Amino acid sequence: MNSIQIIKRNIFKPNNYGWIFLLFVVLILPNIFVIFLSSELSESHIKQIEYLIFSSFILITPALFLKMRWYFLFESIFMLCAPFEIGYVWIYKSTVTDGFISSVLNTNISEASELLMTIKWQCLILLLLWTGYYFIVFRKIKNNYLFTRKYSFIAGVSVIALNLTFFFTTYATEYRLEKSHANINEVTDNFIDNYRSAYPCNIIATLVRKYENHMILKNMHKNIASFSYHAKQNSILPEREIYIVIIGESARYGNFSINGYKRHTSPQLEKIKDFMTYSDVYTTSTVTEFALPLLLSSATPLNPDDAFKEKTFADAFKECGFYTGWIANQSGYHPYIKRIAKDIDKAFFISDESDNPENYDGLLLPYIDSLLNKNEQKTFIVIHTLGSHFRYNFRYPKPFERYIPALEGTANYSITSDKDKELIINAYDNSIFYTDFILSEIINRVASQQCISTVLYISDHAENLYDNGSLSVFHGSKNPPKAEVHIPLFIWTSPDYNRAYPHKQKALKANINKKISASNLFYSVLDIADLSYPGEKPEKSIASDSFVEDSIRYVYTANKEVIHFQ
C-alpha cells in the first residue's frame, strides 16, 4: 500500500505529467472512437496511426501558448461536442457531417437527442469523465505553463516545421501523381482538409459552413426579390391541364418490384397504363436539406448556392398563369421552404413530426383532392412526402405490413447490427409497398379529371441497407455507395397529354434507359408542360428529343463536398 501511495504522489501530484496525461486522454476520446469505428480509417493501420498523431498534435498545440488550467478549460468547450462525434461515428461509422449538424441546430432536435439516447451508457460514462475532468482541472492543475519559455519557443518552431514538412509532403505527392506539376491551390486545399477532417477542427469547420449557409439563406429574399424566369407556355390549349411533381423520401430504385425487385412491392403501379420508370437516375445529394433546393432549381452540386439566387420551377409555373400548390408531410420551418410556401397560391403542411407513428402520407390525399376539385384551368402541385424516412415502421398503416417480422414501436438508431437486418429490410419494403399505394391513388385521382395531365415522382435520395455485405444503413454518407444515390423516377402521362404532346411522350419513352441526374428535373418539369424561358436547355430535358445523357453525374455529399459517378 505504501508503494502505491508513493507512486501516486510522484506521478499524480499537482501539475505533474500524470494528471496532464490523464486529462489529455479524456480530451482525445472522440478521436479514439473515430480511429476504431470510422470506415474511413479501418482499411489501414497506417491511416489510424497518422490520424492519432495528427489529432494529438492539434490538441497539444494550444498548450504552447496557454497556461495549463486555461488550456484545459479552453479544450473542455469541445467536450460538449464529444457526444455528437462519438454518437455519429458509433452509428454511421463516420465523423459528423454538415447534414447532421444542421439537424441538430434546426428543427430535428428530437432525432439528434434520440441518436444520443442510443449510446446513453456511453454518454453517462462521458458525463462522469467530465465531472472528474473539471475536478482535476480546478484541484490538481496549477495555472503554470507546460514548458519554460525556452522550450515553448522550441516547441513552437517544431510546430511550424512539422506543418511545413507536412505541406511539402502533400505537394510532393501531388507533384508525383500529376507527373511533373502540381496545382498549389489544390495542394493547399488538401493540406487544410487534413485539419478540417480531424476532431475537433471538423466541428469548427462544420459550424463555420453552417453560419455561411445561414447568411446565404438570410440574404435569399433580397437576392430573388426581383427574380423572374420570364417564362411562357408555348401552347395555349383549351383543355384543362394538371401537372404534379411528387418528391419522395429515402426511396431506393431497386426496392420497387416494377424495377425488378424480387418482392412484389409495387403491384398497383405495375397495372397503370402509360407509366414509365427510368432505370439509371442518380440523386444530386444524399441529404434532404441539400437535395431539395437542387431538385427545385437549376442549381447543381457544382454550384449549389445558385439555388438561393433564383426561384423554383413552381414559380415559373405561376408566372405562366398556373394555380400552384405545395402539399407536404415534412417540416415547413426551413427558410427555403417557407419562402416557397409564402409565394405559392396554396400551401398545406400536414405535420412536422416525422416521429409521429400515425403521420402517414395518406393524410395528404384529402388536400390533393381539395386542389384538384377547384377545377382551375391550369394547376401545378408539388407534393413532398415522408416516404421511407426512418423509422420505416412509422411510414405505413398496419394493413400494409406485408413483410414480417418488421420493426415495432419506437425502434431507434442503434439497430444497425446483423441481428436486426431482417426487421429493418422488411419494414423498409413495407414502406415502399405503401408508397406504391399512395402514388397509384394520386395518379388515379388525376386520371379521373380526364384532362391533359402528368404525374412525376422522384426520390430526394436513396438509402443504404446492408448492401454488398456491409453494415451501412440509412443515408447521408460522406462517400455514398451507388445504392444511396440510385433513385426511382416515375412519370405517368394521361391519354389527353399523349394526344396534345405526342413528341414529348415519345421523347420521355426514348430516354427511359439513359443516364439521368436529378439535375435534369428542373428542365424536364418545365419542358413537360411546354414552358419556355430565356436560357432554357432542351439538351437537359428528358422530354426533349435533344436530350443528352450525362457521362458524369455529380453528388453533393453530407459534408458539402462534390463527388462524381460515371
Side-chain angles (χ1 to χ4, degrees), residues 40 88 94-101 193 196-197 202-203 205-206 209 285-287 290 476-480 556-562:
E40 298 156 4
Y88 199 85
S94 173
T95 53
V96 295
T97 63
D98 289 49
F100 174 69
I101 293 298
D193 281 344
R196 289 175 180 154
S197 61
N202 65 328
I203 298 290
T206 299
R209 289 192 294 265
S285 181
T286 56
V287 180
F290 304 154
S477 308
K478 286 184 179 179
N479 296 294
Y556 195 54
T557 70
N559 224 32
K560 292 191 173 181
E561 296 175 346
V562 178

Side-chain angles (χ1 to χ4, degrees), residues 93-162:
K93 306 299 181 285
S94 173
T95 53
V96 295
T97 63
D98 289 49
F100 174 69
I101 293 298
S102 290
S103 72
V104 173
L105 297 178
N106 289 326
T107 60
N108 214 350
I109 298 297
S110 62
E111 190 170 313
S113 300
E114 180 192 333
L115 187 148
L116 296 182
M117 288 304 294
T118 66
I119 55 165
K120 54 182 177 290
W121 294 113
Q122 293 90 330
C123 288
L124 179 60
I125 293 171
L126 201 60
L127 185 62
L128 294 174
L129 285 174
W130 284 352
T131 305
Y133 179 93
Y134 284 110
F135 175 82
I136 295 170
V137 167
F138 286 107
R139 297 296 300 271
K140 300 296 183 180
I141 300 296
K142 291 182 178 179
N143 206 21
N144 299 327
Y145 287 104
L146 181 61
F147 304 115
T148 64
R149 182 174 296 181
K150 174 184 176 182
Y151 286 110
S152 291
F153 176 78
I154 294 172
V157 171
S158 299
V159 166
I160 295 172
L162 282 170

Side-chain angles (χ1 to χ4, degrees), residues 114 203 232 391 436:
E114 180 192 333
I203 298 290
K232 62 183 180 66
R391 304 176 175 96
D436 169 73

Side-chain angles (χ1 to χ4, degrees), residues 224-258:
I224 67 172
S226 59
F227 182 91
S228 174
Y229 284 107
H230 302 290
K232 62 183 180 66
Q233 193 171 25
N234 296 319
S235 303
I236 307 300
L237 304 173
E239 296 98 333
R240 187 182 177 200
E241 296 177 80
I242 300 172
Y243 300 98
I244 291 182
V245 173
I246 306 169
I247 300 174
E249 169 69 52
S250 304
R252 291 159 55 98
Y253 168 86
N255 284 62
F256 288 86
S257 56
I258 198 170

Side-chain angles (χ1 to χ4, degrees), residues 148-282:
T148 64
R149 182 174 296 181
K150 174 184 176 182
Y151 286 110
S152 291
F153 176 78
I154 294 172
V157 171
S158 299
V159 166
I160 295 172
L162 282 170
N163 274 287
L164 288 172
T165 301
F166 188 43
F167 179 84
F168 284 112
T169 301
T170 306
Y171 183 89
T173 302
E174 181 77 13
Y175 186 88
R176 188 170 59 254
L177 290 174
E178 296 297 328
K179 297 179 180 178
S180 77
H181 74 278
N183 186 311
I184 191 67
N185 292 327
E186 290 183 7
V187 172
T188 303
D189 287 341
N190 290 336
F191 173 75
I192 294 173
D193 281 344
N194 284 285
Y195 278 95
R196 289 175 180 154
S197 61
Y199 181 87
C201 291
N202 65 328
I203 298 290
I204 297 172
T206 299
L207 290 174
V208 168
R209 289 192 294 265
K210 180 62 182 173
Y211 175 76
E212 292 171 346
N213 193 56
H214 167 75
M215 294 307 296
I216 290 171
L217 286 169
K218 184 178 179 180
N219 295 324
M220 177 179 60
H221 292 279
K222 181 175 65 176
N223 292 337
I224 67 172
S226 59
F227 182 91
S228 174
Y229 284 107
H230 302 290
K232 62 183 180 66
Q233 193 171 25
N234 296 319
S235 303
I236 307 300
L237 304 173
E239 296 98 333
R240 187 182 177 200
E241 296 177 80
I242 300 172
Y243 300 98
I244 291 182
V245 173
I246 306 169
I247 300 174
E249 169 69 52
S250 304
R252 291 159 55 98
Y253 168 86
N255 284 62
F256 288 86
S257 56
I258 198 170
N259 294 330
Y261 190 44
K262 60 185 178 182
R263 286 176 162 176
H264 202 201
T265 54
S266 50
Q268 302 306 319
L269 295 179
E270 292 166 24
K271 300 175 185 176
I272 297 175
K273 185 181 178 182
D274 293 320
F275 184 85
M276 292 164 276
T277 174
Y278 292 77
S279 65
D280 197 0
V281 184
Y282 283 13

